[in-house]
């Protein structure tokens, strides 16, 4: 099937989403590289603990949020067949899932262990988000990729697949925001950091960047013209296969 033309409003949204993603990636890199002392949990922490502490925001923001957002946008810009788009979407979501799992795994290596690191709202939301994301990825694989499944079921499942995917993406961004707030609170308590300092500015800008990124990605994803075309195409394919 030929690739569908994009609605006129989508190219600007895709550009804004990409610019926001680059901004977020740059800000999180600046944060972890320019303010290294904020990621040393204890004065006696080893180099390994520091690396794990730095990997967590990098994996969860760049590997999980940005990559999963790009996976959502694949159907909006990638030319080619539907199978190609589904393959790229599945692979990118798999990379995002692996990043999320490994990002949580890094918290197991803190001096306080699992219980000491998983007690806050941020940690509970993070575990729930990655767990839901894993279920969503598996269900998407079984229902939209596996050739043994009944194609007609996709028509009923597609709206739920889209909804749960966007809900999980929004939950990931909300979880990141609670993590930023939690981190700033710890820094303020430990070092009495100035609320008008450069690190506060970087972290606040990172939070706003995540808000912009999620807004552009979700707005592009819920474009009514594209959604209607996608559902109709899925229904047409199902009718041909069943008939």
């Amino acid at each position: 099937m030929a690739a569908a033309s994009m609605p006129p409003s989508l190219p600007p949204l895709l550009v804004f989403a990409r610019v926001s993603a680059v901004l977020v990636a740059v800000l999180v890199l600046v944060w972890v590289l320019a303010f290294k002392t904020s990621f040393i949990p204890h004065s006696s922490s080893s180099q390994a603990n520091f690396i794990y502490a730095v990997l967590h925001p990098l994996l969860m923001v760049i590997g999980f949020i940005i990559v999963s957002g790009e996976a959502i946008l694949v159907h909006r810009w990638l030319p080619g067949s539907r199978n190609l788009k589904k393959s790229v979407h599945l692979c990118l979501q798999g990379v995002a899932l692996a990043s999320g799992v490994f990002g949580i795994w890094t918290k197991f290596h803190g001096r306080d262990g699992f219980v000491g690191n998983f007690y806050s709202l941020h940690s509970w939301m993070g575990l729930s988000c990655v767990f839901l994301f894993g279920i969503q990825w598996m269900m998407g694989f079984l229902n939209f990729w596996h050739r043994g499944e009944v194609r007609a079921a996709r028509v009923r499942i597609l709206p739920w697949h889209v909804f749960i995917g966007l809900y999980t993406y929004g939950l990931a961004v909300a979880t990141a925001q609670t993590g930023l707030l939690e981190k700033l609170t710890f820094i303020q308590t430990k070092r009495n950091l100035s609320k008008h300092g450069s690190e506060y500015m970087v972290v606040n800008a990172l939070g706003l960047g995540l808000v912009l990124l999620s807004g552009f990605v979700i707005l592009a994803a819920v474009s009514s013209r594209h959604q209607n075309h996608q559902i109709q195409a899925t229904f047409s394919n199902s009718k041909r296969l069943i008939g």
Side-chain angles (χ1 to χ4, degrees), residues 143-176:
N143 291 288
F144 293 93
W145 183 252
H146 195 275
R147 298 182 182 276
E149 296 296 322
V150 179
R151 268 64 173 185
R154 297 177 181 177
V155 178
R156 297 189 299 271
I157 296 174
L158 180 59
W160 287 103
H161 179 75
V162 173
F163 166 73
I164 296 175
L166 293 179
Y167 175 81
T168 307
Y169 180 74
L171 178 61
V173 173
T175 302

Side-chain angles (χ1 to χ4, degrees), residues 112-175:
D112 297 329
F114 177 82
V115 176
N117 282 295
F118 290 91
Y119 65 92
S120 64
L121 175 63
H122 170 67
S123 59
W124 287 23
M125 289 177 66
L127 284 172
S128 301
C129 181
V130 173
F131 179 74
L132 183 60
F133 192 94
I135 294 176
Q136 167 77 350
W137 187 87
M138 183 58 65
M139 293 300 296
F141 175 81
L142 293 176
N143 291 288
F144 293 93
W145 183 252
H146 195 275
R147 298 182 182 276
E149 296 296 322
V150 179
R151 268 64 173 185
R154 297 177 181 177
V155 178
R156 297 189 299 271
I157 296 174
L158 180 59
W160 287 103
H161 179 75
V162 173
F163 166 73
I164 296 175
L166 293 179
Y167 175 81
T168 307
Y169 180 74
L171 178 61
V173 173
T175 302

Side-chain angles (χ1 to χ4, degrees), residues 93-109:
Q93 293 289 48
V95 171
L97 177 60
S99 298
V101 171
F102 187 50
I104 289 180
W105 176 82
T106 60
K107 303 305 291 182
F108 285 94
H109 291 267

Side-chain angles (χ1 to χ4, degrees), residues 50-225:
F50 169 73
I51 293 175
Y52 289 131
V54 168
L55 280 176
H56 182 72
L58 291 177
L59 288 169
M60 303 309 289
V61 173
I62 297 177
F64 191 58
I65 293 177
I66 293 181
V67 173
S68 64
E70 188 61 32
I72 292 173
L73 297 176
V74 159
H75 293 286
R76 307 304 186 261
W77 65 267
L78 185 66
S81 65
R82 287 178 56 81
N83 282 342
L84 173 63
K85 294 179 180 180
K86 288 190 296 182
S87 298
V88 176
H89 176 78
L90 185 69
C91 290
L92 287 177
Q93 293 289 48
V95 171
L97 177 60
S99 298
V101 171
F102 187 50
I104 289 180
W105 176 82
T106 60
K107 303 305 291 182
F108 285 94
H109 291 267
R111 192 180 73 173
D112 297 329
F114 177 82
V115 176
N117 282 295
F118 290 91
Y119 65 92
S120 64
L121 175 63
H122 170 67
S123 59
W124 287 23
M125 289 177 66
L127 284 172
S128 301
C129 181
V130 173
F131 179 74
L132 183 60
F133 192 94
I135 294 176
Q136 167 77 350
W137 187 87
M138 183 58 65
M139 293 300 296
F141 175 81
L142 293 176
N143 291 288
F144 293 93
W145 183 252
H146 195 275
R147 298 182 182 276
E149 296 296 322
V150 179
R151 268 64 173 185
R154 297 177 181 177
V155 178
R156 297 189 299 271
I157 296 174
L158 180 59
W160 287 103
H161 179 75
V162 173
F163 166 73
I164 296 175
L166 293 179
Y167 175 81
T168 307
Y169 180 74
L171 178 61
V173 173
T175 302
Q177 301 287 24
T178 61
L180 296 178
L181 180 60
E182 181 181 288
K183 191 67 175 179
L184 284 181
T185 302
F186 286 165
I187 295 172
Q188 177 66 27
T189 303
K190 184 174 65 174
R191 293 195 286 135
N192 194 25
L193 187 69
S194 171
K195 295 180 179 179
H196 301 285
S198 56
E199 185 169 4
Y200 262 85
M201 300 294 290
V202 170
V203 176
N204 287 340
L206 175 58
L208 289 177
L210 286 169
V211 170
L212 290 175
L213 173 62
S214 62
F216 290 132
V217 169
I218 293 174
L219 185 58
V222 299
S223 172
S224 59
R225 177 177 171 180

Side-chain angles (χ1 to χ4, degrees), residues 22 109 237:
V22 172
H109 291 267
N237 288 341

